[in-house]
Each structure stands twice: as structure tokens, then as C-alpha cells.
Amino acid sequence: MPTVTSDDSGRPTKIEAKSGSTSLSTISYDYADAGKDTDRVRKRTTDGAATAYTTTAWAA
């Protein structure tokens, strides 16, 4: 079962799946935009590969 770490607002900041002490996969979420906390994920990192999200992605 994965381990979920949450921030003070209850949003997931890290999800990690392990087999014993070996990490199989880690996903982390960053909600900050230019240092300000937001209600949307601004960056997701999956096993070291980061994907950034910009405000134009929600402009539709």
C-alpha cells in the first residue's frame, strides 16, 4: 500500500510505493506559484521527471 504525505491543508505532497525498504515509485506535488500557495498542482514529479503546469493550462 502506498504511503501518502499531506501538507497542512490535507493535500497530497508525496505518494510513495515501496516493496520492503525499496522505493518502487514516488510522485510528489508542488502547489506553489512564484512562492505563493495555490489550490492547484503547479508541478508534479514522478520518479525524478518533473512536469510543470502553467496558468494558461486552465484558461479554457
Side-chain angles (χ1 to χ4, degrees):
M1 177 161 227
T3 302
V4 179
T5 304
S6 300
D7 64 11
D8 292 339
S9 297
R11 301 172 298 193
T13 56
K14 181 179 177 183
I15 302 171
E16 184 172 25
K18 287 185 169 186
S19 177
S21 61
T22 303
S23 179
L24 302 175
S25 184
T26 302
I27 302 170
S28 59
Y29 299 97
D30 185 358
Y31 300 89
D33 184 22
K36 291 180 65 177
D37 191 28
T38 67
D39 61 347
R40 295 182 176 157
V41 173
R42 298 299 176 165
K43 183 172 80 170
R44 180 187 74 212
T45 304
T46 304
D47 299 328
T51 302
Y53 300 95
T54 63
T55 55
T56 56
W58 296 286

